Amino acid sequence: MKLIKTVLLALCLAAASSARAEEMSFRVIDLNSGGPQVIAAQGEIGEATPDAFLAFVRENARGGNLHGIVLLDSPGGKVVASMELGQAFRKLGMAVIVARPAADRSRTMALVSGRCYSACVYALMGGRKRVIPAQSSVGVHRMFNYSTNFDVAEGGFVRERNLDDGGMLKTLSRYAAMMGVSTELVKLAERTSPDRLYMLTSADIARWRLGSRKL
């Protein structure tokens, strides 16, 4: 059964890499009719995402009904941008819940399972309080980026995947410690193949101080 799950997860990762996810967008959600409002953040974290988030908050905080809660649902994205987004969450005192909104027939807003994969975990770390409901999932793996170089032997431009040489591990570890998360989580991520996800268990989440199950 574990082998089957691993194969299925690898296939999902391959499909995700072949089709670029939409860049993260933000919207205000009413949890109850006329009640408190929170921010739903969904999509891939790109270089422009941190500034877009801060601009969104400035534009929507004027009504006075916007609470400091972000619903986060993301397949990952840029590592540095994810840390910058996490720093924005912390600066604004935001609580982060791995979940996404789903409207029911009564027009109130229910929360359903969310995901926070790959670099998204570094955005999640920035939350003043971090909540990962039992139905939601968080997965990590080794960080990497792509570069394009001209290769005479190959007869043109070649896209290559670059893995960290140790510098990013130090940066991510310092960031995690600053956010109150165990650096062991970063070490685990950097030991995990970039072609698969290690899905965090409840024990992992508690042991490495990533979050709690309830707000």
Side-chain angles (χ1 to χ4, degrees), residues 6-115:
T6 300
V7 172
L8 289 175
L9 184 55
L11 290 173
C12 289
L13 283 171
S17 63
S18 63
R20 180 175 174 81
E22 291 187 10
E23 189 157 339
M24 180 167 282
S25 60
F26 309 100
R27 57 192 174 118
V28 173
I29 299 297
D30 290 303
L31 290 182
N32 296 293
S33 181
Q37 297 177 325
V38 302
I39 297 172
Q42 293 180 274
E44 188 173 278
I45 301 168
E47 293 177 356
T49 301
D51 287 340
F53 173 73
L54 291 172
F56 181 88
V57 172
R58 284 194 296 269
E59 182 178 345
N60 290 275
R62 299 168 186 167
N65 205 28
L66 187 64
H67 284 224
I69 297 176
V70 175
L71 308 179
L72 182 62
D73 179 57
S74 172
K78 301 288 187 181
V79 182
V80 174
S82 295
M83 287 191 288
E84 291 174 349
L85 182 59
Q87 289 171 330
F89 291 159
R90 182 61 60 92
K91 182 178 180 180
L92 295 174
M94 293 282 185
V96 180
I97 304 174
V98 180
R100 54 193 172 88
D104 62 23
R105 293 181 181 179
S106 64
R107 297 183 66 184
T108 59
M109 189 62 63
L111 301 185
V112 297
S113 62
R115 59 185 171 157

Side-chain angles (χ1 to χ4, degrees), residues 49-185:
T49 301
D51 287 340
F53 173 73
L54 291 172
F56 181 88
V57 172
R58 284 194 296 269
E59 182 178 345
N60 290 275
R62 299 168 186 167
N65 205 28
L66 187 64
H67 284 224
I69 297 176
V70 175
L71 308 179
L72 182 62
D73 179 57
S74 172
K78 301 288 187 181
V79 182
V80 174
S82 295
M83 287 191 288
E84 291 174 349
L85 182 59
Q87 289 171 330
F89 291 159
R90 182 61 60 92
K91 182 178 180 180
L92 295 174
M94 293 282 185
V96 180
I97 304 174
V98 180
R100 54 193 172 88
D104 62 23
R105 293 181 181 179
S106 64
R107 297 183 66 184
T108 59
M109 189 62 63
L111 301 185
V112 297
S113 62
R115 59 185 171 157
C116 184
Y117 297 158
S118 187
C120 172
V121 72
Y122 299 109
L124 172 62
M125 286 182 185
R128 174 185 55 81
K129 184 174 181 61
R130 301 175 290 268
V131 180
I132 306 168
Q135 68 270 26
S136 295
S137 57
V138 176
V140 297
H141 63 77
R142 189 176 183 183
M143 295 294 100
F144 62 89
N145 60 33
Y146 285 104
S147 63
T148 302
N149 301 296
F150 188 84
D151 189 321
V152 175
E154 294 291 335
F157 288 97
V158 177
R159 192 170 185 240
E160 298 179 342
R161 183 164 66 178
N162 306 303
L163 297 173
D164 177 40
D165 61 2
M168 183 55 74
L169 173 60
K170 293 179 181 178
T171 299
L172 294 173
S173 295
R174 286 195 298 268
Y175 171 80
M178 181 174 65
M179 296 303 176
V181 177
S182 172
T183 58
E184 293 302 314
L185 175 54

